[in-house]
Amino acid sequence: MNLMIMKTLRMLIPALCLAVCMPLMAQNSSDVAEVTTIDRHAAQAYRQGEVIVKFKPTSRVKVSASRTGAVRSNVNLVDSVFAKLGVTGAEQLMPLSGTGGPARVKSHTGSYIERADLSKLYRLQLNPEGNVAMYDAIDALKELPEVEFAEPNYLVYTLATPPADGDNDEKTYKKEHLFKEQWYFEAVHLNHLWTKEKITDKRPVIAIIDTGVDITHPDLADNIWTNEREANGAEGADDDSNGYKDDLHGWDFVNQVPELRDNNGHGTHVAGIAEAVGNNGIGIAGANPDALIMPITVLQSDGAGDIATVVKGIDYAAANGADVINMSLGTYAYSIAIEQALARAYHSAVLVAAAGNDCRFINPGKCPVCREWGAPMYPAAFTFVLGVEASNRDGSRASFSNYDDDGPTFSAFSEEQLYNYELRAPGTSIMSTYPGGKYKALNGTSMASPLVAGAISRLLQCKEYYSKELLFGDLIHARKKHDKGLVDFEATYEIKDEDRKPSLQLVTYALIDSIAGDGDNRPDAGETIELWPTFRNEWGNAENITFSLEVAELEDPAIIEIIDDNVSFGKNLSSYAKAKSEKPLRFKINDKCADGRRIRLVLRATCDNITEELVHEFTITAENGVELGGLISEDMTLYPNVHYIVTKRLAIQQGAVLTIKPGTVLKFKAGSAINA
């Protein structure tokens, strides 16, 4: 953990900030209705009077409305809290895809993605005339034994801005052939992928969860997804029994209607980047002109929306067979609801999201130049979502783009929060479709995300993948080979099974002193220590893993004695698996080691076909003294020529005497003290 913190700090040097941190460009007043950016000072903004709550799947809760309009739960205690909070409405957020038995799949980081039961996930409406504060209501719900979690209904926003250079009058581009403006295809070698033979005739479906799509746009109309059961059914009927009447081409969750339009422009622009019609003699081509657009409106005309509505859109996309889900939206507020909803969707779709436009790095810390605190943008930061940064024409990171300061696979967050933005794609002066048959150029990670989403849908038409972690790994490793660090779809396509070499990472390690030691798991002089590492395999299969230990350069070689060397890990690690070793490495600390002595060590690990062995330097602190802690029930004298280490609270029983001779030194561990 110390090394991870050091690595993060090294990434925050002023030189880096001077090179990449620039102020966000001001938004022209004429473009206010067109795009919306994150308000940095309202990162935790939420819908007033709305709470998202998930009841435990095992609870007896069945939410319904009574004849009088009151919301009931079938549980008296829950109903009592509903009444106190003034709950006036409840909406199930995942009625289509939220049910099903527990299951899990592996992500590219080795973590397992659980498919939680979200059948009892609700948005609650509170009486606006009530006197209950939002977080008081949340606390009251959390105290119920039937509740798994409760949280505010946080706001989310589009992630695009107008270009700062040149005239951007959409009339200039109306019905003009603009393929020459799409410089970004060559930047990620996507045009090379178009020449590859397809292995399937199925047209992939990309869900555009956004402000809506102008489905009549001449460059989009032929690629709009159609719900066949509704198309072959009766008008005004719910022919597919999904709760949405006449959802012929998607659904507008803002207005709760099947009629689709885009009152902002953002969603239409995003859709065109991913899947505009090709070879029609007008406008542009999408990253995959063969893909189908599933329009799902979750953001309002000002570009803002909320978590609950986005979750409903995810539910619709997953239930209707979306192969890829694009989310050019985000928030800095962490939501359990959207994390669990996307974890379910990950089982059936590739998830892609924009990293954000505030020039903020993903990890905690403050940039000394732009003075912004680092923070993850959700949902792009989630480990099972491909987070996409934006680049300039020259391949460098766009000045406005959020970025991952410790790379696409490492994370300074906890092992359960492996937050990353994995990819980078063009996001400046991106020409695309605009409502009313027009075209327009916009900047933003909102533009980089659908380029990746569309290209991935094309990649999956040409290359078979047995798991999403292999797809993620190939994309990340192809990016590493690109001369500008961009995602490279030709290089991704060319990767074969034999090209995937294993790469070991140390996740954590445990030090155990149970062999002839005092069992406090702190290294002491003279103790034999067991070292149990946990490794993650980043890419190809790792077989015959072994690890060893040595003292660091210039360290005293006599300070420890290596008992076991070249220890077998005891198991193989498949692609992106992680595990703890089945066997420990053992070493003994010199019994004359000074108290407080810091010992620098190097852990090495290797396996078959590895490109570069793992080398991890770390430091342990050895103790040498008499440990004190607990209850002193008899008289005791402490002398100045002995090292004493107080490891926990030291209590003196009434009648017992503790004598401390002059010159005696006691070292207190954190949380320790002497109580008379």
Side-chain angles (χ1 to χ4, degrees):
M1 185 60 68
N2 288 340
L3 286 179
M4 287 195 292
I5 295 172
M6 290 170 63
K7 179 174 181 181
T8 302
L9 293 175
R10 286 199 300 269
M11 299 302 292
L12 304 182
I13 58 176
L16 175 63
C17 295
L18 289 171
V20 300
C21 294
M22 296 177 61
L24 287 173
M25 50 193 165
Q27 183 169 300
N28 297 330
S29 59
S30 61
D31 293 309
V32 170
E34 165 194 327
V35 291
T36 303
T37 55
I38 294 288
D39 180 353
R40 303 180 189 185
H41 303 291
Q44 306 295 319
Y46 51 81
R47 295 279 187 218
Q48 295 290 340
E50 295 186 5
V51 175
I52 296 176
V53 60
K54 180 186 176 185
F55 296 100
K56 296 175 182 176
T58 55
S59 71
R60 295 186 296 107
V61 169
K62 293 182 180 179
V63 178
S64 61
S66 67
R67 293 180 179 178
T68 61
V71 177
R72 302 294 186 189
S73 70
N74 196 44
V75 177
N76 290 337
L77 182 59
V78 177
D79 289 341
S80 175
V81 172
F82 278 5
K84 290 178 182 178
L85 299 182
V87 176
T88 59
E91 181 182 20
Q92 188 180 12
L93 297 183
M94 296 197 72
L96 305 181
S97 67
T99 59
R104 62 180 190 170
V105 294
K106 194 165 55 183
S107 78
H108 72 288
T109 59
S111 299
Y112 281 95
I113 309 304
E114 302 290 342
R115 188 177 67 181
D117 186 335
L118 297 178
S119 58
K120 296 182 180 180
L121 180 67
Y122 289 89
R123 167 168 44 190
L124 301 182
Q125 299 280 352
L126 307 183
N127 188 339
E129 298 180 359
N131 296 319
V132 180
M134 173 65 68
Y135 284 97
D136 289 341
I138 289 172
D139 289 342
L141 289 166
K142 285 181 178 179
E143 290 178 359
L144 291 169
E146 291 82 6
V147 169
E148 182 176 317
F149 68 81
E151 62 185 20
N153 187 14
Y154 294 113
L155 301 186
V156 297
Y157 307 85
T158 57
L159 300 173
T161 59
D165 55 339
D167 182 16
N168 194 39
D169 184 358
E170 63 268 17
K171 292 181 293 185
T172 305
Y173 309 118
K174 186 175 181 180
K175 293 188 178 180
E176 180 183 348
H177 193 281
L178 296 167
F179 185 76
K180 61 182 182 296
E181 301 285 341
Q182 296 186 272
W183 59 273
Y184 39 89
F185 291 149
E186 175 59 33
V188 296
H189 299 162
L190 177 56
N191 46 341
H192 301 280
L193 187 60
W194 290 338
T195 66
K196 309 301 181 183
E197 183 179 355
K198 292 190 294 185
I199 60 175
T200 176
D201 292 328
K202 178 184 180 296
R203 298 184 68 182
V205 177
I206 304 177
I208 304 297
I209 298 183
D210 216 290
T211 62
V213 175
D214 178 4
I215 65 174
T216 65
H217 194 291
D219 230 0
L220 300 177
D222 288 346
N223 280 356
I224 300 298
W225 168 79
T226 296
N227 183 346
E228 295 297 337
R229 292 182 65 181
E230 290 290 347
N232 297 318
E235 185 177 354
D238 184 9
D239 300 292
D240 55 1
S241 302
N242 66 355
Y244 304 106
K245 293 182 180 180
D246 294 331
D247 56 322
L248 185 60
H249 298 298
W251 191 260
D252 180 345
F253 285 96
V254 172
N255 299 296
Q256 296 297 332
V257 294
E259 291 78 24
L260 297 165
R261 56 178 299 171
D262 183 2
N263 294 320
N264 177 280
H266 185 273
T268 300
H269 197 273
V270 167
I273 297 169
E275 44 204 330
V277 178
N279 298 318
N280 61 352
I282 63 168
I284 64 167
N288 186 4
D290 193 41
L292 295 172
I293 304 166
M294 181 188 288
I296 301 175
T297 306
V298 297
L299 304 178
Q300 302 201 31
S301 58
D302 62 353
D306 56 67
I307 292 293
T309 309
V310 173
V311 167
K312 291 170 65 178
I314 294 167
D315 180 48
Y316 186 92
N320 285 282
D323 300 291
V324 181
I325 297 177
N326 183 79
M327 295 164 285
S328 292
L329 49 80
T331 176
Y332 291 114
Y334 168 69
S335 163
I336 305 174
I338 197 169
E339 182 176 28
Q340 292 193 1
L342 287 171
R344 282 196 69 92
Y346 175 79
H347 287 65
S348 59
V350 178
L351 311 176
V352 187
N357 302 338
D358 297 313
C359 187
R360 298 176 74 171
F361 39 74
I362 198 170
N363 289 305
K366 192 172 187 178
C367 173
V369 176
C370 66
R371 312 305 298 170
E372 286 293 341
W373 287 97
M377 173 68 74
Y378 306 104
F382 291 136
T383 184
F384 42 82
V385 177
L386 284 169
V388 186
E389 304 168 1
S391 75
N392 297 311
R393 282 180 180 262
D394 63 2
S396 62
R397 184 180 66 82
S399 60
F400 57 79
S401 179
N402 288 1
Y403 61 100
D404 194 329
D405 47 312
D406 53 19
T409 57
F410 182 85
S411 177
F413 284 86
S414 70
E415 186 62 19
E416 290 72 33
Q417 297 171 298
L418 292 168
Y419 293 153
N420 288 112
Y421 307 138
E422 290 81 4
L423 303 177
R424 181 177 296 168
T428 55
S429 298
I430 305 299
M431 183 63 63
S432 187
T433 49
Y434 205 68
K438 301 173 183 177
Y439 300 87
K440 202 172 184 70
L442 291 175
N443 291 349
T445 53
S446 270
M447 286 58 256
S449 180
L451 176 59
V452 169
I456 287 175
S457 75
R458 178 66 179 184
L459 177 66
L460 295 177
Q461 286 183 294
C462 305
K463 184 177 181 180
E464 185 174 10
Y465 276 96
Y466 299 104
S467 64
K468 291 188 182 69
E469 63 263 26
L470 286 179
L471 169 64
F472 279 38
D474 284 3
L475 289 164
I476 291 169
H477 281 267
R479 170 191 173 177
K480 291 179 179 179
K481 295 180 180 179
H482 193 286
D483 58 348
K484 297 292 187 180
L486 298 180
V487 60
D488 187 326
F489 289 100
E490 181 183 27
T492 303
Y493 173 82
E494 297 294 342
I495 292 173
K496 300 178 176 60
D497 289 344
E498 58 268 26
D499 297 326
R500 298 186 183 107
K501 305 297 183 183
S503 177
L504 296 175
Q505 296 177 344
L506 178 66
V507 175
T508 187
Y509 62 86
L511 298 177
I512 308 297
D513 62 349
S514 57
I515 301 177
D518 57 13
D520 63 359
N521 294 334
R522 288 194 298 269
D524 294 330
E527 283 188 334
T528 296
I529 307 296
E530 291 183 341
L531 188 152
W532 296 80
T534 296
F535 293 138
R536 177 187 295 112
N537 177 29
E538 187 182 316
W539 202 20
N541 291 328
E543 299 178 350
N544 298 319
I545 304 170
T546 60
F547 57 99
S548 61
L549 188 70
E550 62 189 49
V551 295
E553 185 179 9
L554 303 182
E555 180 61 271
D556 180 4
I559 195 67
I560 67 167
E561 174 191 354
I562 307 294
I563 299 174
D564 298 315
D565 202 10
N566 291 317
V567 177
S568 171
F569 190 68
K571 62 180 71 175
N572 297 329
L573 292 178
S574 60
S575 297
Y576 304 97
K578 68 176 179 180
K580 182 180 178 180
S581 174
E582 292 186 348
K583 301 177 182 179
L585 183 153
R586 295 187 301 159
F587 63 95
K588 182 178 181 181
I589 301 176
N590 191 306
D591 57 5
K592 295 182 179 179
C593 175
D595 182 43
R597 173 71 155 82
R598 294 174 62 81
I599 304 172
R600 294 184 301 116
L601 302 172
V602 177
L603 177 69
R604 297 181 181 273
T606 188
C607 65
D608 293 348
N609 299 318
I610 196 168
T611 302
E612 184 178 357
E613 73 170 348
L614 166 69
V615 180
H616 179 83
E617 182 171 332
F618 63 105
T619 302
I620 65 172
T621 302
E623 299 173 349
N624 192 349
V626 176
E627 295 186 357
L628 302 175
L631 180 66
I632 297 177
S633 57
E634 299 178 353
D635 293 351
M636 177 181 290
T637 301
L638 306 183
Y639 298 93
N641 60 338
V642 179
H643 291 281
Y644 295 100
I645 304 168
V646 183
T647 59
K648 55 185 177 180
R649 210 168 268 280
L650 187 65
I652 304 171
Q653 184 173 311
Q654 186 174 2
V657 177
L658 175 63
T659 304
I660 303 176
K661 295 291 186 180
T664 301
V665 177
L666 281 75
K667 184 166 73 173
F668 291 83
K669 293 293 184 181
S672 61
I674 297 179
N675 294 336

